[in-house]
Amino acid sequence: MVSDAPGFVSNRILMLTINEAATVVEAGSADAAQVDDVFQSCFGHPMGPLATADFIGLDTVLDTLDVLRQHTGDSRFQPCPLLVRLVTEGRTGRKGGTGFHEYRPSTTRRSPS
């Protein structure tokens, strides 16, 4: 059992990880597929942080970051501009067919070209 706090444990850590992964993509250090591959091949995660963000919904991730920033006052939760842009463009992840990756009905993720 953990103490009551904004975002509890999982969302506080996950949202920072997703936000930083988006920042890495925005900086051009790696593309979304490469970032996700690092988490899968090096850390043994079944899904990388950007595929996880697409699964959750980028609009939901953005809202969660905003709520965490408001409730904690911590600037680390300031959403990455790339994340904001993707949501503004309607790229909300799996539910919209594209986010950090592209999704086709009944297929696996593909990085956008």
Side-chain angles (χ1 to χ4, degrees), residues 3 9 13-15 51-52 54-57 66 68 75 78 81 83-85 93 99-100 103 111:
S3 299
V9 174
I13 294 169
L14 179 61
M15 293 303 134
T52 300
D54 281 350
F55 183 76
I56 294 167
D66 284 335
L68 285 166
S75 63
Q78 179 66 39
L83 180 58
V84 174
R85 188 176 81 240
F100 285 102
Y103 300 89
S111 292

Side-chain angles (χ1 to χ4, degrees), residues 17-96:
T17 302
I18 289 170
N19 204 37
E20 191 61 22
T23 300
V24 167
V25 171
E26 182 177 52
S29 301
D31 65 26
Q34 292 168 322
V35 169
D36 284 342
D37 184 58
V38 166
F39 275 77
Q40 292 175 283
S41 62
C42 295
F43 302 133
H45 290 203
M47 181 184 296
L50 300 175
T52 300
D54 281 350
F55 183 76
I56 294 167
L58 300 186
D59 52 337
T60 301
V61 170
L62 184 59
D63 287 344
T64 303
L65 284 166
D66 284 335
V67 167
L68 285 166
R69 187 175 37 81
Q70 290 170 10
H71 283 85
T72 65
D74 192 333
S75 63
R76 294 179 302 161
F77 294 107
Q78 179 66 39
C80 168
L82 174 59
L83 180 58
V84 174
R85 188 176 81 240
L86 291 174
V87 172
T88 300
E89 292 172 358
R91 295 177 58 181
T92 56
R94 282 183 179 254
K95 63 185 169 188

